[in-house]
Amino acid sequence: VAKGAGKNQWRRYQRHLHAEMVERLELRSALDHAVNEGHFLLHYQPIVDLVTGYAVGFEALVRWAHPSRGVITPEEFIEVAEESGLIVPMGRWVLEEALRTVSEWRRILPPGGAPYVSVNVSVRQFREAGFVEQVRNALHHTGVPPQSLMLEITETLLMKDDEQRIWADLSVLREMGIRIAIDDFGTGYSSLGYLRQRPIDIVKIDKTFIDDMVTSPQLVGGIVSLARSLQLVVVAEGIEDMAHRDLLVRMGCPLGQGFLFSSPLGPTEVLAWMTSASVAV
Ligand code: C2E
Ligand code: MG
Ligand code: MG
Ligand code: MG
């Protein structure tokens, strides 16, 4: 009996694995189609000055406009996009679209008043030959100055391999005047010491640390003060309540992002948010 039960369990497990594989393959082919058809859009979340509430920049966050399922967030597809390499053409579109949007903001808003746009870049994109050239060309043909662009690279991805080449590319991009941010800081193994002497301007502290901050503020406090001594600007991610914002201000954290200020906004909502936020402050 026990043997038979084990066999059934094994079969169920096999069927489960098979179903999962089929699901991934289907997702991959649907994603491939979406890349070819351009079924993506960007939402923008403000990166705000924690004291004034003004947006200094906006993070571009990709969404899949699925014809039947509606708008799908990256948790559901970014992993498959990475594995399959589809992140490369998708990322190219994201960069171009984000730059078109910021050039629009620059056209509409008073001189010097336009925030920068921050784009998430996968390590896969850096591994493609010519990524630096791609960024340079995109800036050139959209007419956006490098100062209006920030690139985010996640800490955990950076630790994997081809580190040296990626740092070399980042340093060229930074010398052009593009801001470089380390995303999800604290989730990997790197210490701020490791980031010393690296071509970085900004460190984004992962939401998990912000969530725990009221009960254990030492960790975030430590990151903020060390970052300041290294002349890095800190952005706190995922701020959802006022108590966290107040604590961060007291710690000397200059910038933050989170639902407290705004969730990611569609392209038309962004302009409305910018104008209403400046009136409110
Ligand atoms: P991320 O870069 O760390 O982006 C922040 C994520 O946290 C976003 O999720 C945002 O909507 C969410 N968020 C912001 N504030 C709050 C808050 O107060 N509370 C909570 N609970 N969540 C908040 P989203 O848009 O689902 O993106 C997830 C991840 O997908 C991003 O994490 C980023 O790693 C990746 N991603 C998004 N767009 C792109 C892209 O164009 N290229 C690449 N390579 N990755 C992307
Ligand atoms: Mg990010
Ligand atoms: Mg992040
Ligand atoms: Mg994060």
Side-chain angles (χ1 to χ4, degrees):
V1 181
K3 220 174 169 185
K7 212 169 187 175
N8 279 336
Q9 228 178 346
W10 175 250
R11 284 217 185 95
R12 265 202 305 277
Y13 177 66
Q14 288 284 301
R15 266 201 299 274
H16 167 77
L17 274 190
H18 180 73
E20 212 164 69
M21 203 175 79
V22 169
E23 209 175 286
R24 278 183 105 75
L25 280 172
E26 275 169 4
L27 179 59
R28 183 182 164 157
S29 99
L31 203 55
D32 187 58
H33 180 73
V35 167
N36 292 322
E37 299 295 315
H39 288 167
F40 293 102
L41 61 122
L42 294 181
H43 279 183
Y44 300 89
Q45 186 179 38
I47 300 170
V48 305
D49 178 319
L50 290 177
V51 174
T52 64
Y54 279 114
V56 296
F58 280 83
E59 179 175 5
L61 294 157
V62 72
R63 275 37 186 156
W64 179 0
H66 195 282
S68 57
R69 290 180 52 203
V71 174
I72 304 176
T73 58
E75 289 113 69
E76 288 194 51
F77 64 86
I78 230 61
E79 205 183 302
V80 170
E82 289 267 355
E83 284 169 9
S84 61
L86 286 166
I87 195 86
V88 173
M90 193 194 86
R92 191 177 303 133
W93 177 84
V94 168
L95 176 69
E96 296 265 340
E97 177 67 12
L99 290 176
R100 276 193 291 274
T101 303
V102 80
S103 83
E104 187 71 5
W105 296 342
R106 288 171 50 79
R107 203 173 55 74
I108 296 169
L109 298 167
Y116 56 79
V117 75
S118 190
V119 173
N120 292 284
V121 182
S122 143
V123 165
R124 278 297 279 257
Q125 287 173 271
F126 275 101
R127 292 206 188 111
E128 286 294 289
F131 178 70
V132 171
E133 266 323 285
Q134 186 191 315
V135 174
R136 207 194 301 274
N137 290 339
L139 286 170
H140 183 75
H141 77 247
T142 51
V144 172
Q147 291 73 18
S148 292
L149 177 64
M150 175 155 106
L151 298 177
E152 300 188 10
I153 180 153
T154 64
E155 188 205 359
T156 40
L157 288 177
L158 200 52
M159 304 298 291
K160 275 184 187 155
D161 53 285
D162 0 52
E163 248 195 273
Q164 293 313 318
R165 238 203 64 201
I166 293 171
W167 285 120
D169 283 352
L170 285 173
S171 137
V172 173
L173 292 162
R174 185 161 181 261
E175 268 153 35
M176 286 165 61
I178 297 168
R179 289 180 181 79
I180 306 294
I182 294 296
D183 203 357
D184 303 338
F185 183 79
T187 56
Y189 314 100
S190 57
S191 60
L192 274 176
Y194 164 86
L195 297 180
R196 194 195 298 266
Q197 312 292 336
R198 301 287 187 181
I200 294 167
D201 305 280
I202 289 184
V203 171
K204 300 185 81 172
I205 304 179
D206 195 69
K207 179 180 190 327
T208 51
F209 299 100
I210 307 305
D211 290 342
D212 294 344
M213 201 173 53
V214 172
T215 50
S216 52
Q218 298 84 355
L219 191 59
V220 173
I223 297 174
V224 170
S225 61
L226 191 55
R228 288 178 66 170
S229 72
L230 295 172
Q231 281 162 352
L232 295 169
V233 172
V234 177
V235 177
E237 293 190 288
I239 305 174
E240 291 180 357
D241 63 70
M242 206 45 133
H244 290 179
R245 178 257 178 205
D246 292 347
L247 198 52
L248 285 161
V249 168
R250 265 179 275 139
M251 287 173 175
C253 177
L255 302 175
Q257 240 178 300
F259 296 167
L260 175 66
F261 310 105
S262 171
S263 55
L265 303 165
T268 50
E269 298 166 301
V270 162
L271 280 169
W273 191 90
M274 281 187 212
T275 34
S276 69
S278 7
V279 171
V281 169

